[in-house]
């Protein structure tokens, strides 16, 4: 009856999608528990590359069931087009294998417009959101004024509710923000069509997951974003609006904590962040450019959802240790170790100086956090290309030492290391 969780230990884009894709081969159900199409999970299968935003990363394994939980927020236009694109590429998207929770909240064009004007108003302290309407939809959810996916069962009634909702938001857009309203007549037909398309996918996801767990099936819970973007545990307000951490699994999918057996933290071998907010180990020099890559490789650090260049820096184990503590991680997966080939020396921060004082646990309050300078430990690098390596003992000894050092600092076993985006580019220990 186990549930396994895969979540991000840093600022998102750790490679969760590809790790879920690996584990999905041995699971029965893959369920997304939080966030919306702000997520971008890239998975390579042979020569094919899939960029998933809402559909769980288990979809690429025939026969596996996939659920989008009630903790997520769903733009019907995005989900419908993502499913259609998958179908065009020969993936089975039948409602027998893909389910959408009736309780997931719906993102409308008004939420997207409000996200953009909110950001514009923040000026220099903009969060750098993905402009997908995430903040405004979770605001409506908490204010109990939101629209839930279950309404799409009756598309005509759904459209009536969406119309009223946009009329209300238009007053806000025009009267308060002095900006253009949403053109309701233009917006509604596509939303109606998307609702009609998605209606057969609506399901009681908590019940289905409970039945699967009772039947000893393995449920893999797929995280989006990362621990430092969590609404409660990230560095507020430079966060997303959902629970990216393990608590989001329980509320977002409606499964009890006693089912969770493994909590797998995905950590990139270095650090990246997209959007605003503090980032103590960020590199503003040629080393940072080198970690980012030029965009020539598909895995170079440019956002899957927005295409923005990601900010890059050295690994910060205060962040990974914080994620281990907040989520109760049972193990780590280290991704993109291959990207560290060719550096003479690698730096790892395991403590900071904050306001002149030494600190070895992550300060999570913005004012303190943004005054932290990393204290680095220098570790010898390796020159060899490791993308073809498949066993730990075949890694250069300095690469082995890097992984061993992370295990020692975090106190967590590193069971899987990835050395390239393909399924086979994986080292199991
Ligand atoms: P996610 O949001 O956590 O699923 O991560 P993203 O998909 O946004 O970003 C991870 C990127 O790194 C994608 O382009 C992956 O194909 C790529 N990737 C994942 N693992 C590895 C790896 O071990 N090595 C390399 N070079 N690329 C990887
Ligand atoms: P995956 O699942 C990286 C960031 C945005 C911004 C902040 C708030 O691919 O790891 P939002 O649109 O959520 O209101 O933006 O959160 N962000 C992500 N960064 N990976 C993601 O998802 C992200 N989802 C949101 O860049 O800084
Ligand atoms: Mg991503």
């Amino acid at each position: 009856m186990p549930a396994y969780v895969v979540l991000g230990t840093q600022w998102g884009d750790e490679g969760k999608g590809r790790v879920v894709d690996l584990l999905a081969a041995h699971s029965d159900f893959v369920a997304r528990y939080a966030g919306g199409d702000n997520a971008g999970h890239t998975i390579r299968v042979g020569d094919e590359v899939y960029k998933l935003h809402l559909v769980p990363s288990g979809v690429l394994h025939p026969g596996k069931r996939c659920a989008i939980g009630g903790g997520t927020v769903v733009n019907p236009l995005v989900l419908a087009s993502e499913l259609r694109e998958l179908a065009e590429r020969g993936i089975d998207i039948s409602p027998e294998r893909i389910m959408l929770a009736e309780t997931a909240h719906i993102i409308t064009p008004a939420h997207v417009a409000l996200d953009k004007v909110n950001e514009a108003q923040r000026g220099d302290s903009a969060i750098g959101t993905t402009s997908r309407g995430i903040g405004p939809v979770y605001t409506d959810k908490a204010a109990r004024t939101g629209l839930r996916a279950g309404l799409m069962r009756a598309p005509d009634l759904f459209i009536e509710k969406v119309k009223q909702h946009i009329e209300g938001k238009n007053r806000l857009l025009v009267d308060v923000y002095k900006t253009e309203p949403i053109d309701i007549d233009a917006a509604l037909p596509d939303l109606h069509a998307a609702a009609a398309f998605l209606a057969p996918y609506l399901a009681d996801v908590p019940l289905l997951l409970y039945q699967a767990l009772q039947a000893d099936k393995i449920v893999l819970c797929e995280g989006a974003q990362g621990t430092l973007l969590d609404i409660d545990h990230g560095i507020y307000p430079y966060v997303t609006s959902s629970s990216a951490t393990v608590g989001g699994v329980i509320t977002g999918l409606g499964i009890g904590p006693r089912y969770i057996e493994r909590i797998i933290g995905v950590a990139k071998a270095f650090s990246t962040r997209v959007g605003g907010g503090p980032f103590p180990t960020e590199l503003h020099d040629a080393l940072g450019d080198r970690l980012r890559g030029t965009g020539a490789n598909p895995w170079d650090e440019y956002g899957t959802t927005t295409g923005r260049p990601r900010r890059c820096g050295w690994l910060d184990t205060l962040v990974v240790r914080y994620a281990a503590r907040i989520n109760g991680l049972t193990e780590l997966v280290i991704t993109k170790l291959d990207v560290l080939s060719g550096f003479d020396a690698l730096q790892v921060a395991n403590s900071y100086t904050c306001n002149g004082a030494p600190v070895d646990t992550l300060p999570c309050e913005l004012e303190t956090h943004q005054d932290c300078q990393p204290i680095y430990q220098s570790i010898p690098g390796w020159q060899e290309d490791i993308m073809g390596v498949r066993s730990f003992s075949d890694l250069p000894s300095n690469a082995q030492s890097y992984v061993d050092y992370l295990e020692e600092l975090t106190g967590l076993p590193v069971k899987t290391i990835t050395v390239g985006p393909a399924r086979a580019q994986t080292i199991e220990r």
Side-chain angles (χ1 to χ4, degrees), residues 19-345:
V19 172
V20 169
D21 172 68
L22 285 176
L23 291 168
H26 315 287
S27 309
D28 299 288
F29 231 122
V30 182
R32 250 292 288 279
Y33 63 85
D37 62 309
N38 49 348
H41 299 171
T42 312
I43 299 156
R44 177 176 287 259
V45 184
D47 291 334
E48 296 287 316
V49 176
Y50 298 88
K51 292 177 189 289
L52 302 171
H53 300 282
L54 283 164
V55 176
S57 301
V59 74
L60 305 176
H61 289 273
K64 306 297 177 183
R65 293 203 289 168
C66 296
I68 302 170
T72 66
V73 285
V74 173
N75 185 326
L77 304 175
V78 175
L79 180 56
S81 75
E82 192 169 318
L83 287 169
R84 287 201 178 97
E85 277 168 33
L86 287 169
E88 278 163 20
R89 297 177 74 177
I91 308 291
D92 172 13
I93 56 141
S94 61
E96 286 70 43
R97 70 176 298 229
I98 296 174
M99 293 122 225
L100 168 61
E102 294 144 335
T103 52
H105 276 247
I106 291 292
I107 299 179
T108 72
H111 290 129
V112 175
L114 285 167
D115 194 358
K116 291 177 183 159
V117 293
N118 284 336
E119 276 286 90
Q121 293 229 326
R122 288 186 189 110
D124 285 348
S125 44
I127 294 167
T129 72
T130 57
S131 307
R132 301 299 153 114
I134 302 298
V137 71
Y138 280 112
T139 301
D140 275 351
K141 175 176 178 175
R144 293 156 292 174
T145 53
L147 304 168
R148 303 214 292 186
L151 287 170
M152 295 193 294
R153 274 195 207 288
D156 290 344
L157 189 61
F158 169 69
I159 282 303
E160 195 44 47
K161 300 257 185 209
V162 172
K163 186 166 179 262
Q164 288 165 12
H165 153 93
I166 300 182
E167 282 167 353
K169 300 296 183 199
N170 272 351
R171 285 194 286 280
L172 203 58
L173 286 166
V174 174
D175 299 343
V176 178
Y177 290 102
K178 312 290 181 209
T179 183
E180 292 297 307
I182 302 294
D183 181 341
I184 297 184
D185 291 339
L188 294 186
D190 286 350
L191 282 165
H192 190 282
F197 177 79
L198 293 174
Y201 293 92
L202 292 166
D204 183 343
V205 166
L207 178 63
L208 292 172
L209 294 178
Y210 177 76
Q211 288 168 341
L213 289 165
Q214 290 299 108
D216 264 345
K217 305 286 184 201
I218 295 179
V219 174
L220 187 59
C221 309
E222 175 175 356
Q225 291 78 54
T227 299
L228 285 224
L229 293 174
D230 182 273
I231 180 75
D232 292 293
H233 302 292
I235 311 299
Y236 193 89
Y238 293 100
V239 293
T240 189
S241 300
S242 64
S243 299
T245 52
V246 72
V249 173
I250 294 153
T251 54
L253 293 175
I255 61 176
R258 73 188 175 100
Y259 293 106
I260 300 177
E261 237 172 51
R262 293 170 69 188
I263 308 169
I264 303 159
V266 184
K268 202 180 277 188
F270 50 101
S271 303
T272 63
R273 161 160 220 177
V274 58
F279 179 3
T281 62
E282 182 170 15
L283 292 167
H284 297 280
D285 57 11
L287 288 170
D289 293 342
R290 182 148 159 213
L291 288 171
R292 182 178 311 106
T294 57
N297 300 309
W299 56 82
D300 286 349
E301 296 293 349
Y302 297 83
T304 310
T305 297
T306 58
R308 292 179 289 179
R310 294 176 185 149
R311 301 156 66 192
C312 296
W314 296 121
L315 186 69
D316 186 335
T317 52
L318 289 93
V319 168
V320 181
R321 286 192 281 115
Y322 177 70
R325 171 160 61 87
I326 292 293
N327 296 297
L329 297 182
T330 58
E331 62 214 82
L332 275 184
V333 176
I334 304 286
T335 59
K336 300 191 91 163
L337 190 66
D338 52 293
V339 174
L340 296 185
S341 287
F343 286 88
D344 291 335

